[in-house]
Amino acid sequence: NALASTFDFMLNGTAGVDAFNVDLSQVENKYQVNGFNAGDKLVLLGDAGSTYLIDNSGADSIVSVSETTGSLQTTTITVVGVDMSAADIVHL
């Protein structure tokens, strides 16, 4: 269960439309996103060439981001209680 893990960052949304920014240039690579609603965006910053896979097989979406710069690490983002789609993710 990804929620039993220790996270480097926890991002919490509000009732309105939110943008959840994930800075891929950082060493930290485990994020938890709470309160993701329709119209919200997961924004991947700092590595426009990164690719991602979305796993919606459980109650939460697990987004695995393969980075192309820096240490070439994989950043894992657990989005609690939703099924993500590619339309919910933006590279900047």
Side-chain angles (χ1 to χ4, degrees):
N1 181 347
L3 295 180
S5 300
T6 301
F7 293 96
D8 296 318
F9 291 103
M10 294 179 74
L11 307 173
N12 296 305
T14 62
V17 175
D18 296 305
F20 295 92
N21 297 330
V22 175
D23 187 352
L24 300 176
S25 67
Q26 299 298 313
V27 175
E28 294 82 11
N29 63 355
K30 292 176 75 175
Y31 290 78
Q32 180 181 11
V33 174
N34 300 295
F36 195 94
N37 301 303
D40 289 351
K41 297 292 181 191
L42 184 63
V43 182
L44 305 178
L45 302 170
D47 188 352
S50 65
T51 59
Y52 58 86
L53 295 173
I54 302 170
D55 178 359
N56 288 323
S57 63
D60 307 318
S61 289
I62 309 298
V63 180
S64 299
V65 183
S66 297
E67 299 178 28
T68 61
T69 61
S71 62
L72 302 176
Q73 70 185 8
T74 298
T75 295
T76 303
I77 307 161
T78 301
V79 185
V80 178
V82 298
D83 282 343
M84 299 282 293
S85 74
D88 297 322
I89 301 174
V90 177
H91 276 99
L92 290 180

